[in-house]
Amino acid sequence: MRTGFTLTAFAVLSAQLLPGQLGRTGPPSAANPLARDQAAVEAGQKQFQQLCTGCHGRSGQGGQGEGQGPDLVNSWEVRRASDTELMNWIHNGVKGTAMPAFALPQEQIRQLAAFVRSLNAPANSVPVPGNAANGEALFYGKGGCGTCHMIRGRGGYLGPDLSNAGLAHRVSELRTAIVNPAALSTSGYKPILLAGGVRGIVKNETNWSMQVIDETGQIHLLHGAEMNSARLQPGSWMPADYARRLAPNQIDDIVAFLSRQAVRAEAEADRRSPRPAQREQN
Amino acid sequence: MKIFLFAALLGATGIAAAQVTDQDLRKGPDQNWLTYIGDYAAHRFSPLDRINRANVARLSPKWVRHIDTQADLETTPLVYRGVMYVTNSNEVYALDAVTGREIWRYTATGVRRRGVNRGAAMFGDSVYFETSDCHLIALRRGNGGFLWDRDFAGGDRAYSCTGAPLVVKDKIIVGVASSGKACFIAALSANTGEEVWRFRTIPKQGEPGSSTWGQFPLDWGGAPAWTTGTWDPDLNLLYWVTGNPWPDFGGDRPGDNLYSDCVLALDPDNGKLKWYFQFVPHDTHDWDANETPVLLDADFGGRARKLLVQANRDGFYYILDRTNGEFLLARPFVKQLNWAKGIDAKGRPIVVPNMDPSPGGIRVCPSVHGGTNYWAPSVNVSLGLFYVVALEECETYYSSAQQPVPNSGFRGTGHTSIPSEPGEFFLRALDVKTGKLRWEYPMPGPTTMWAGTVATAGGLIFTADDSGDLVALNAETGADLWHFYMGSNLKASPMAFAVDGQEYITMAAGSNIFTFGLPAQ
């Protein structure tokens, strides 16, 4: 209770991905035994910096200008590719494109593939540095995240529910949401003060009505003149200073904790062997 | 910073979200509508009368909310304190019930199927719904936050789920459907989703009823439980209905095929079977008994009795004593009925010979869609009327020499419509105690509209006709008082609620939710 501001700490994770979009990505297959290996991911990252950033950009999000390599982070092709396909693309190049062959030893190909996979895959299917148990303690303690974010019913109402954060988001998105929340949309989470100073978030707003969820989980349906009783606030309830307030290893710990949050993880993995959609009438 | 400090203090002492209690659920509809069936007896009777015979002609659309991913919504929305909860396949939406604007949406990920969904359940500060692959998901009502996910069919892909769960005390009752696998009804803890009991709708070898299948593999028999049942709190009996035996149109399953096409009276605390009544023994026409089992207290045969009534897919309106399952009466509510001469004193159909599906085809009435179906009926107790959407239709049923293969889509061949005999829908008002027709409202059209009903204290009955209109009828006479063309297929049931004293009528139509009210004064 030292300052109210500490209690407002939470991370806004925008719904930039369509629900289920990442559900098509499962954990890497046995074809790349290094796919879940943290050291291999880090080694792959070093190679990527030397060999790949010229075309694919420093962060893998695509090069600038004509003839540059595609965005690997958001690529559907990469997301759908098996580990074997991914390694073949690196080793043999991609016909009909500017992607050259990299005649590297198998070990290095595997490391590169592990890193590219980590760029693209949901957080719960890749190795993540950090201590998840410490992250949980920070999430509900010093970090204050749980004041506004809920995981499986525990936590607050002012930020997005993070019960499925590890499947719905990539590691890079989780990290960005914490250290640079200004980069993310606040749609559905715009801050508002209700009568009596109660904090809320605007889920929807028109000229005639506003739908607000307050910090205690109450829904406020403001119609017509009732909207005058509430005051929209600038920015976001999400503090912008976590990068300064928390040590890098603490942020790693929180990311590790969030990456473990997954609803129906087994079913998600199961979707990698897709079956025809079945439609039932009764 | 002062503002934040104040807000934090207030947040710490904030009022907990209002709880939907057992008492709220037992009370039935008022300004809220808290269960798929409206009330535990499934009368679907709203006590609201602001919209009534005198003013219903002025009923106007208030809002329309489009649901992106569904062609034929079957959901009955729930409403609690001005918020409407609507289900789609593997999704729940919380909408401002006065404006239709979205408050939150939960989309289940990783679901292996898509299918229709008929609605959610509500208890405490949670909202519950079933995914198409038979997980029960609990959400925090305030924000749609995920609480838990229970895979109550154990990941078995033979099962699918479309129904609305039913809250009974501290349990959530669910049922599964299949095409070639024995089905079940289960009770899950409302707090954790853990399974408390399970009742197999087809007995295991050696259990009572297992001898009613000949040598047919009991694991295949179907008897799905895909709709929502009812509960009598005083008798503490749960009434759940089951569907047809598999293969739908025949196969080598000699005998009555228990517990297909039954109403089962179960103890909701432990799932023990107290009694059962089978409507169609050895069904070969896919006449699921999954129509709503409605509970009524009325004088019958000179004394007050606790009744269970059902307009069944087989074309008969049944009255049973719900304390013990005793058969009391059955009367056809459709004219197109040629498979049975009647129902005998014990409740068993007097079957017309040679009406089973045949290689050359046999004309049987009702059609496979039934005299009625999951289309919700309603009751106006003061008028003594039971309102049911009835389909007059016959079809040709075929059999095949092909051997049945479970879960392959094979149903034992099937049925075709008879072009020279188009079907026709009617809204029929039956005397609840005799099943006699009091009035009917014809609904011409292509027989594609599968809507249910809601009755209100405004002296009205709302349903959707077969040409796509939501209609309001005089509950006493069937005179039509208002209609509105909804512009799409209608497969859901309307419901009524109120916010700030204003009454509204809502119905899902095609991929939209329509809400109507009276013009502002």
Side-chain angles (χ1 to χ4, degrees):
Chain A
M1 202 57 74
R2 184 173 55 82
T3 67
F5 197 67
T6 308
L7 286 171
T8 66
F10 61 98
V12 171
L13 289 169
S14 74
Q16 289 176 334
L17 293 170
L18 293 172
Q21 186 173 332
L22 280 174
R24 304 208 175 185
T25 310
S29 72
N32 184 355
L34 302 181
R36 282 178 174 277
D37 186 312
Q38 177 62 25
V41 170
E42 286 168 13
Q45 183 171 17
K46 283 182 187 147
Q47 292 188 67
F48 188 87
Q49 300 298 341
Q50 293 164 7
L51 300 172
C52 312
T53 53
C55 291
H56 289 290
R58 280 179 56 81
S59 61
Q61 286 184 292
Q64 302 291 317
E66 197 179 341
Q68 295 300 304
D71 176 350
L72 300 174
V73 176
N74 296 298
S75 161
W76 271 100
E77 285 75 13
V78 172
R79 208 164 284 159
R80 277 197 296 259
S82 67
D83 283 334
T84 305
E85 284 175 303
L86 208 52
M87 290 190 293
N88 283 343
W89 289 344
I90 299 169
H91 189 260
N92 305 329
V94 180
K95 272 187 188 172
T97 75
M99 173 74 182
F102 291 87
L104 300 168
Q106 189 186 44
E107 181 81 354
Q108 283 175 254
I109 297 283
R110 284 175 170 173
Q111 290 167 347
L112 268 171
F115 174 67
V116 171
R117 181 68 79 197
S118 77
L119 284 176
N120 197 291
N124 93 319
S125 69
V126 295
V128 178
N131 180 310
N134 290 347
E136 181 172 11
L138 282 162
F139 186 91
Y140 287 112
K142 182 186 166 191
C145 318
T147 309
C148 298
H149 289 286
M150 192 177 279
I151 294 175
R152 292 178 180 260
R154 183 181 174 200
Y157 290 89
L158 295 179
D161 184 280
L162 297 178
S163 303
N164 201 33
L167 275 180
H169 301 285
R170 299 184 294 272
V171 173
S172 58
E173 287 180 307
L174 295 174
R175 189 174 297 279
T176 300
I178 297 169
V179 301
N180 186 22
L184 301 177
S185 165
T186 57
S187 177
Y189 297 90
K190 280 184 187 163
I192 194 164
L193 285 175
L194 297 162
V198 178
R199 294 178 303 163
I201 47 171
V202 180
K203 301 307 293 181
N204 189 73
E205 181 189 10
T206 74
N207 283 342
W208 298 277
S209 76
M210 188 184 273
Q211 289 71 33
V212 174
I213 296 176
D214 79 18
E215 57 193 308
T216 70
Q218 297 281 347
I219 294 170
H220 298 256
L221 306 172
L222 307 179
H223 300 151
E226 292 166 355
M227 293 160 70
N228 298 332
S229 65
R231 283 174 292 138
L232 273 168
Q233 304 296 301
S236 157
W237 291 127
M238 175 73 186
D241 62 350
Y242 272 123
R244 292 195 304 278
R245 189 130 56 87
L246 296 175
N249 67 311
Q250 291 179 312
I251 292 171
D252 281 350
D253 291 347
I254 294 174
V255 170
F257 170 62
L258 294 177
S259 73
R260 305 279 173 89
Q261 305 310 315
V263 175
R264 292 180 67 146
E266 286 171 19
E268 293 278 342
D270 203 35
R271 277 164 55 120
R272 293 177 71 223
S273 51
R275 286 161 188 254
Q278 298 182 58
R279 192 178 161 79
E280 299 298 328
Q281 283 302 320
N282 58 2
Chain B
M1 203 60 102
K2 274 184 183 170
I3 287 171
F4 283 114
L5 181 58
F6 179 62
L9 277 165
L10 206 136
T13 57
I15 305 153
Q19 303 281 313
V20 174
T21 65
D22 180 46
Q23 286 308 311
D24 294 331
L25 294 170
R26 290 187 196 205
K27 206 165 52 182
D30 43 23
Q31 75 272 19
N32 299 322
W33 184 283
L34 298 178
T35 76
Y36 170 77
I37 53 175
D39 62 301
Y40 280 125
H43 290 191
R44 290 182 72 88
F45 180 84
S46 166
L48 301 173
D49 60 3
R50 183 65 69 92
I51 298 168
N52 53 51
R53 292 174 198 167
N55 60 22
V56 69
R58 293 192 286 122
L59 203 61
S60 322
K62 292 295 181 186
W63 55 263
V64 182
R65 165 66 206 222
H66 180 67
I67 305 290
D68 287 335
T69 55
Q70 187 69 21
D72 289 319
L73 290 166
E74 292 187 9
T75 185
T76 292
L78 306 183
V79 170
Y80 181 66
R81 295 190 173 194
V83 180
M84 179 179 290
Y85 301 87
V86 173
T87 59
N88 178 21
S89 181
N90 305 318
E91 276 191 320
V92 184
Y93 293 72
L95 307 176
D96 180 337
V98 171
T99 66
R101 300 291 176 167
E102 185 174 315
I103 303 162
W104 57 255
R105 177 196 310 195
Y106 180 85
T107 303
T109 56
V111 184
R112 299 190 195 98
R113 290 175 181 270
R114 275 191 74 75
V116 298
N117 187 284
R118 295 194 190 82
M122 203 178 273
F123 186 57
D125 64 353
S126 300
V127 174
Y128 305 87
F129 78 107
E130 296 170 29
T131 60
S132 299
D133 61 352
C134 303
H135 288 230
L136 184 71
I137 293 183
L139 304 174
R140 183 64 43 87
R141 195 182 64 233
N143 65 344
F146 173 85
L147 296 176
W148 47 257
D149 173 317
R150 182 65 59 173
D151 179 7
F152 60 86
D156 191 329
R157 293 183 185 214
Y159 293 124
S160 62
C161 285
T162 56
L166 183 71
V167 177
V168 174
K169 295 188 274 190
D170 57 350
K171 297 180 186 68
I172 312 288
I173 315 294
V174 294
V176 301
S178 79
S179 181
K181 176 129 188 166
C183 292
F184 65 88
I185 299 153
L188 313 179
S189 157
N191 282 329
T192 64
E194 247 167 282
E195 187 170 305
V196 182
W197 56 257
R198 177 183 291 214
F199 182 86
R200 245 174 80 112
T201 57
I202 297 182
K204 288 183 177 165
Q205 200 64 46
E207 289 179 350
S210 60
S211 61
T212 63
W213 289 84
Q215 297 304 309
F216 192 82
L218 294 170
D219 280 344
W220 291 2
W226 54 278
T227 49
T228 307
T230 50
W231 176 48
D232 182 329
D234 296 330
L235 296 173
N236 195 30
L237 284 179
L238 175 70
Y239 304 97
W240 215 271
V241 277
T242 62
N244 62 285
W246 182 89
D248 301 27
F249 305 106
D252 189 18
R253 45 176 173 79
D256 284 356
N257 307 149
L258 292 172
Y259 297 98
S260 66
D261 292 351
C262 282
V263 55
L264 305 168
L266 301 169
D267 182 329
D269 298 328
N270 55 27
K272 294 273 185 290
L273 181 66
K274 295 293 185 179
W275 58 259
Y276 71 91
F277 177 84
Q278 189 176 39
F279 299 93
V280 185
H282 189 74
D283 178 11
T284 56
H285 300 98
D286 190 7
W287 288 331
D288 287 328
N290 297 96
E291 300 71 46
T292 313
V294 176
L295 314 183
L296 288 164
D297 293 342
D299 283 336
F300 189 93
R303 64 184 174 99
R305 293 188 85 148
K306 292 177 181 294
L307 307 176
L308 180 152
V309 303
Q310 192 201 50
N312 190 278
R313 197 157 156 177
D314 70 6
F316 287 92
Y317 174 80
Y318 290 83
I319 303 181
L320 310 178
D321 182 325
R322 73 173 181 274
T323 63
N324 55 14
E326 180 190 348
F327 170 79
L328 299 177
L329 179 147
R331 185 186 300 276
F333 64 91
V334 288
K335 298 179 183 81
Q336 297 280 17
L337 193 158
N338 69 356
W339 71 281
K341 291 173 190 154
I343 307 293
D344 73 15
K346 290 187 172 172
R348 201 172 174 90
I350 305 160
V351 175
V352 174
N354 303 317
M355 296 301 271
D356 280 346
S358 64
I362 176 90
R363 176 181 172 276
V364 180
C365 325
S367 72
V368 74
H369 304 123
T372 189
N373 207 299
Y374 68 87
W375 320 321
S378 55
V379 176
N380 184 320
V381 170
S382 61
L383 295 175
L385 293 180
F386 179 94
Y387 303 97
V388 59
V389 173
L391 175 59
E392 296 283 1
E393 189 178 56
C394 306
E395 275 191 317
T396 307
Y397 289 74
Y398 295 93
S399 66
S400 162
Q402 188 185 338
Q403 286 301 306
V405 181
N407 310 309
S408 64
F410 174 70
R411 296 174 169 208
T413 67
H415 56 98
T416 59
S417 60
I418 303 170
S420 57
E421 293 186 56
E424 185 175 6
F425 273 111
F426 294 83
L427 191 278
R428 289 196 167 130
L430 311 180
D431 184 313
V432 291
K433 290 193 275 188
T434 65
K436 285 183 182 163
L437 181 69
R438 288 272 198 88
W439 56 256
E440 69 178 14
Y441 177 75
M443 304 196 288
T447 63
T448 58
M449 304 297 179
W450 291 14
T453 68
V454 64
T456 75
L460 298 170
I461 174 94
F462 289 88
T463 190
D465 70 16
D466 192 33
S467 49
D469 298 291
L470 177 62
V471 297
L473 308 178
N474 181 325
E476 220 169 333
T477 65
D480 67 291
L481 303 175
W482 172 86
H483 68 274
F484 183 88
Y485 179 42
M486 308 278 265
S488 46
N489 240 5
L490 304 172
K491 303 223 166 188
S493 301
M495 48 78 72
F497 66 95
V499 181
D500 295 333
Q502 294 299 312
E503 181 182 349
Y504 300 89
I505 304 293
T506 288
M507 182 174 179
S511 55
N512 298 296
I513 307 292
F514 281 75
T515 291
F516 299 86
L518 293 171
Q521 296 299 311

